[in-house]
Amino acid sequence: MTGRVTLVGGGPGAEHLMTVGALRALADADVVLYDRLSPHERLSELAPRALLINVGKLPGHHPVSQKGIELLLVDHARAGCHVVRLKGGDPYVFGRGSEEVIACRAAGIPVEVIPGVTSAISVPAAAGIPLTHRGVSKLFTVVSGHAPLSEEELQHLAALGGTIVVLMGVGTLPHLAAGLRRHGAAADLPVAIIERGYSNGQKTTISNLAEVVTDATRAGVAAPAVLVVGEVVRLADSGDLVAAGVIHSAELMTEGL
């Protein structure tokens, strides 16, 4: 008897932000393949009868390849198991979830996707930063910073306005900041870098496009982190920043919008 696969979005890493559907899937799982940034600290309790397999990837180090993950999903499901693929954030937001769905369907394996709270929205919120605000920003764009953006993409981003959210963007931050400025974004446009959202080590660094690379180096910024570029950064709750952040340009919090 063929089993099935459930792709589960685990949210930004905090267990209390997992959905009811996610918890039910884990409780019913025979096998769980989990990522490094998923909420996996209590997996043995949340999935009490499941075989737990760590397939997490580190920057530049992938012990299990994407193809290998897909083969594990298919093989365990063919053995009759309910396989849960636990991912950080949402499976369809830079999570390669669609690739895994395609692989399962190609193998004739039933597959369901349970959405998760994406870090693109939740991590800025943890630092008190809304992505939209009446009279300030009426749109936001979510970008992968895994690889440098092209000149055309940078030009479009700079012209679009609103709020820019960058995931996996620490390594390409110099390219992004210089590119946005090159295509007309203001040097004093606020930038926030929120590291390790929803963890005890959460830290927020506030700067602007002209100085963010220097400030990030000084603050020792490291992945995982979410970058927010835009005027909404000025709305960040000062209490959150005092508790968890490095503020370089204090005037960002005091200037009028």
Side-chain angles (χ1 to χ4, degrees):
M1 177 180 176
T2 300
R4 59 194 173 97
V5 170
T6 306
L7 267 62
V8 171
E15 187 179 306
H16 72 280
L17 293 179
M18 296 177 72
T19 65
V20 171
L23 294 173
R24 286 176 176 168
L26 287 171
D28 185 60
D30 299 304
V31 179
V32 177
L33 277 62
Y34 65 94
D35 281 347
R36 177 175 62 99
L37 297 180
S38 66
H40 59 267
E41 290 77 9
R42 291 199 319 118
L43 264 185
S44 59
E45 299 174 49
L46 298 177
R49 60 186 182 85
L51 170 66
L52 306 179
I53 304 175
N54 184 350
V55 294
K57 301 172 183 176
L58 293 168
H61 180 58
H62 300 170
V64 183
S65 68
Q66 182 61 33
K67 184 65 175 177
I69 292 171
E70 293 163 11
L71 288 173
L72 283 171
L73 292 173
V74 170
D75 288 347
H76 282 289
R78 280 178 171 163
C81 297
H82 176 201
V83 187
V84 169
R85 175 72 172 101
L86 180 62
K87 299 172 150 313
D90 182 273
Y92 280 173
V93 180
F94 304 134
R96 305 188 74 167
S98 56
E99 297 174 40
E100 293 167 7
V101 167
I102 290 170
C104 290
R105 288 178 176 164
I109 304 297
V111 58
E112 177 188 3
V113 178
I114 297 178
V117 178
T118 172
S119 58
I121 296 173
S122 58
V123 170
I129 301 172
L131 299 189
T132 63
H133 185 84
R134 185 165 55 91
V136 179
S137 175
K138 61 182 179 182
L139 59 92
F140 63 90
T141 306
V142 182
V143 180
S144 169
H146 181 70
L149 298 176
S150 68
E151 286 299 310
E152 184 179 11
E153 290 168 332
L154 289 164
Q155 182 179 16
H156 285 322
L157 273 181
L160 192 58
T163 305
I164 302 169
V165 181
V166 186
L167 306 183
M168 305 172 290
V170 171
T172 55
L173 175 59
H175 177 84
L176 175 73
L180 289 176
R181 289 193 64 195
R182 190 163 57 248
H183 289 287
D188 64 351
L189 188 65
V191 181
I193 307 172
I194 308 108
E195 300 173 69
R196 301 178 297 278
Y198 288 97
S199 74
N200 292 332
Q202 179 176 320
K203 183 178 76 173
T204 304
T205 300
I206 299 290
S207 185
N208 55 53
L209 275 183
E211 300 173 295
V212 66
V213 174
T214 299
D215 292 342
T217 300
R218 182 183 297 126
V221 165
V226 174
L227 282 60
V228 184
V229 182
E231 294 295 333
V232 291
V233 173
R234 302 183 194 273
L235 295 165
D237 296 334
S238 59
D240 289 347
L241 295 175
V242 169
V246 177
I247 303 176
H248 172 73
S249 300
E251 68 272 12
L252 291 177
M253 297 299 105
T254 57
E255 290 179 354
L257 295 171

